[in-house]
Amino acid sequence: MTSTVMEAMTQQPRYRVKRVYDAPDAEDGRRVLVDRLWPRGVSKQAAGIDEWAKEVTPSNELRKWYHADPQTRRAEFERKYRIELADEGAREGLARLRKEAAEGPLTLVTATKEPDLSHVPILLDELRETPRADRR
């Protein structure tokens, strides 16, 4: 095997995070919207979204509950969101996103003003973890 092939086999999947209001660029690779609701004021064409992965986003109930008081609910939000991500539909969505990221850059796109305080870091953590079925 050539060294280039070996590098490709051992590279970690590349995930990026961008706000939907930031212009798409060539380095984004596949752009996946990871919000439950479509962003206000952004056309589908302008967003440059390849996929809308609703199944890996917090439920409407959880999202509304967290946004009511994010300062004090962060830890509980993370716990509840990870429970939602253990659901079969979410696990399938995570597996699909992992596969896409293994094939090339994957950009998680969100409308949230502060991605670091949103569900996105938790989602990234889950995407980077080895799925339970693969842990042996």
Side-chain angles (χ1 to χ4, degrees):
M1 268 186 238
T2 67
S3 63
T4 306
V5 172
M6 288 297 289
E7 285 175 22
M9 290 173 61
T10 59
Q11 278 184 338
Q12 292 292 325
R14 286 190 33 220
Y15 298 101
R16 298 179 79 195
V17 176
K18 284 182 94 171
R19 293 194 67 228
V20 72
Y21 306 104
D22 298 332
D25 64 53
E27 292 182 16
D28 288 348
R30 187 161 177 78
R31 291 172 53 88
V32 179
L33 181 65
V34 292
D35 288 342
R36 179 65 56 160
L37 305 174
W38 187 265
R40 290 183 184 180
V42 178
S43 71
K44 292 187 180 192
Q45 183 178 4
I49 300 298
D50 297 304
E51 177 182 350
W52 189 0
K54 288 184 190 180
E55 71 278 7
V56 298
T57 65
S59 65
N60 280 325
E61 297 79 18
L62 182 57
R63 181 182 57 78
K64 289 176 184 177
W65 174 81
Y66 177 59
H67 287 289
D69 189 5
Q71 306 302 341
T72 62
R73 294 180 174 178
R74 181 66 187 183
E76 185 66 5
F77 168 75
E78 182 172 345
R79 187 187 72 75
K80 289 179 177 188
Y81 181 39
R82 287 185 190 276
I83 289 169
E84 288 186 354
L85 288 172
D87 177 71
E88 182 179 346
R91 284 194 328 263
E92 289 172 5
L94 289 168
R96 186 183 68 254
L97 293 176
R98 284 185 193 106
K99 183 177 183 230
E100 291 170 5
E103 295 169 1
L106 184 75
T107 298
L108 305 180
V109 181
T110 182
T112 186
K113 290 178 184 177
E114 298 181 78
D116 291 343
L117 301 177
S118 73
H119 67 288
V120 175
I122 302 163
L123 178 58
L124 277 170
D125 186 50
E126 289 289 324
L127 285 168
R128 289 176 174 141
E129 275 194 26
T130 304
R132 291 181 201 342
D134 294 348
R135 293 182 198 164
R136 291 192 181 135

